[in-house]
Amino acid sequence: MKYPFADVEKKWQKKWEDNKTYKTDLTDLKKALYTLVMFIYPSGSKLHIGHWYNYAPTDSWARYKKMRGYNVFEPMGYDAFGLPAENYAIKTGIHPKDSTLKNIDDIREQLKTMGCMYDWDAELMTCVPEYYKWNQWLFIQLYKKGLAYRKNAPVNWCTSCKTVLANEQVQTDGTCERCETMVERKNLTQWFFKITDYADELLDGLKTIDWPAKTKLMQEHWIGKSFGTEVKFGVAGHKDKEIRVFTTRPDTLFGATYVVLAPELDLVQELTTDEHIAEVNDYIESIKSLSEIERTSTVKEKTGVPTGAYAINPVNGEKIPIWIADYALANYGTGSVMAVPAHDERDFEFATKFKLQIRKVILEKGTDSDAELTEAFTAPGTMVNSAQFDGMDSVECKSKITDWLAENNNGEKRINYRLRDWLISRQRYWGTPIPIVYCDSCGEVPIPENQLPLELPYDVDFKHDGASPLAGNSEFVNTTCPKCGGEAKRDVDTMDTFMDSSWYYLRYLNPKFTDGMFDTKLGDDWTPVDMYVGGAEHATMHLLYARFIHKFLRDIGMVNSDEPFQRLLHQGTITNNGAKMSKSKDNVVNPGIFIDEYGSDVFRMYMMFMGPYELGGDWSDKGIVGVDRFVQRAYALFESNKDLSKSTVAPSEFKMDDLSQTEKHIYQLVNKTLAKYEVEVENYRFNTAVAALMELNNGLKELAVCSNEFRLFILERFATMLAPLAPHMGEECWSILGNEKGLFDNPVWFEVDQSALVQDSVTIIVQVNGKVRAKLELPVDSDEAAVKETAWNDNKVKSHTEGKSVVKEIYVKNKIYNIVVR
RNA sequence: GCCGGAGUGGCGGAAUUGGUAGACGCGCUGGAUUCAAAAUCCAGUUUAGGCAACUAAGUGCCGGUUCGAAUCCGGCCUUCGGUACCA
């Protein structure tokens, strides 16, 4: 009989639900295990292949752990705020709240057909006041600690739509995706979280977590800690002004021949001479629509204009011109850069183009100090043209010059970070309202905690001209000051949705908790999350923000751990004809037809079999029949051994000497498979785990001639290995054997019989000059003399060494014997 | 541009530490079964030459280290993710 997947899946899903199999008892902390997958963004109403690829293998891992006796907590929820729902509303008129809640209902139903172990009592969504209230509370805690503050920052502004655009809404040519108008950068006052205060700890903490090395490396580079010197340049004719620059090359300071300021700095307007002001303002206008990537590209032709003002180099009192150039960014570092054309590639190019002075201050070994440079010399060398430092080693002079600057109050040692503070203001509707009011007499005032949540009003014009849609709702905007009771206006921005995802793993533990942001007892018991799985695209942003918030929560006594996610893994992306699946491209592959034809177990097992989990790949259904055939064969095997456990009992292990030759082979195979399976599944290498089960299945062709208890022994192990990967089928096979209790209600796992893994002979490869010439089957741990003799007796070895002299012979025990001849 | 990955048969991929390249599966070819087909089962399947034994080449490209490299090093090419307002 063909495996009746539809009936089997329905049957077990009902049993699991009736038995509350996946309700986790969070008070049972013995072998507690929190496994988490990044929650779902409910944009469309359909789960696509990518979702299955993310969730099904993760669930298989959780099930494996459950079968090994862990008390597994595996929740699922919805990252429900965000831009797409708002765009959809603008296009269709359907309110984000309505479309989002509808999508969530549809998605929940589809998630249930996957047959995952989600504890549905722990389900949460971020767009309800019960959740986002605590975003507001958290904001206020950060505010109280001085970690939330306002400053100016640029946004993408469409002058035609009169709205702020997300980077995604700006096309590659710099125009608005709706109206094709050129997008400008415009400054707005916005809220920031001081993540930079935690930069060092975020860096150090990486050493303590079990994350992919590449992710840690990306975070390390994102934080970008660099050691250097801050130098104070005076400004000629402006005694009250100074320009601070950060440099990692203080040894080149005598070679600084000009200074570059970010065009947007206020200082630029203050310093520029009348003669240059028109040119400067034209330049600022001309770069308004450039993105940061374009501005800082090292291949783009450098642009810039002089301000007419001069800076004073503190080391030699020299007057050097002040320029502005787009590659200096106002929101990075001090916004000012000292330029040393002789020893920096970008400065060399700039100085050459604009005929600025190039002065060599570090001499390359073996070159003439008068020789003209044809390119920047960036390596260390000997100091020249540097007054009292001449003749010294440039590396040593880094600290010498810094010390000398410090003694004269012209600078100091400094650590700089690439990391910037987290901008959380969004000029959008569908998000958490920022709990601040602005009062003419009291200034910015946080809403008292007992007045939270500040609810997001339903009625709003999404196309409201200007900054934020909420600004158009006067009932929302106009309020009274919590401090003085006078008239006040609310902040009309909402929060970045990364705020929602920065602490949801704590809320899952009790989403209905009303006495605080989350139940801190449960938080301490269950976090850090043991295993976190999600896309690599989150490597630097979400995963850094969540770490920051976790550390902040620790500092205010809410959690007792330093990191939110102990172990992390990224699933790969499934593409369609090489393109990322997305609703907008209309290229999503719907799993529905595969579920209908093969069932969810075959489908999820195929996804796991496709390749390495962390690699992903292009979607193809070509191989799914192979997995289906495997399932059919395995099912038939169990069917032909129905109710075996009702008439016989399998021992916990067999003695190899008591087994027939056939049984011995199968016994070794099943133990080898089990040992491999454990390692592969533990490390999310499901493709090789499935392959191992296929090999096992192929090796059971002669099982029928074995004894009853032996067959039961083998099939029990086979069923338990199937269960994590194909949960419905695993349960079914287990029950076919005659077991009354379900595998996930009563977890079972079998030990490997280590004695069955011992091999008595081994294949030794004989190479001549690195080429395989013979394969010898020899006892394990044979000594060199024995191998040598057998090897040299081989005809092929003889023919390939004949008439040549032996240079040397290499023996690697149990592996290889290599003869080198000339 | 910058930061971080990936590249192996016709296809998806395997090779746990530098030691048999191609496990497992798809596809294809041949056979069994069938009136025939589907399904199933059995055998073969990196490429080139050869009936075969066998020989040579081969893990994106070029070079290097080593007795030995898919694996380590240097330089490229292609491609994917991120680049701070998609999430």
Side-chain angles (χ1 to χ4, degrees), chain A residues 281-290 303:
Chain A
N281 286 334
D282 284 351
Y283 181 76
I284 291 172
E285 194 62 32
S286 75
I287 59 161
K288 252 190 171 165
S289 52
L290 292 181
T303 63

Side-chain angles (χ1 to χ4, degrees), chain A residues 739-753:
Chain A
N739 293 296
E740 302 289 341
K741 288 178 176 167
L743 273 174
F744 295 104
D745 279 320
N746 268 74
V748 173
W749 197 254
F750 297 103
E751 292 293 312
V752 177
D753 180 355

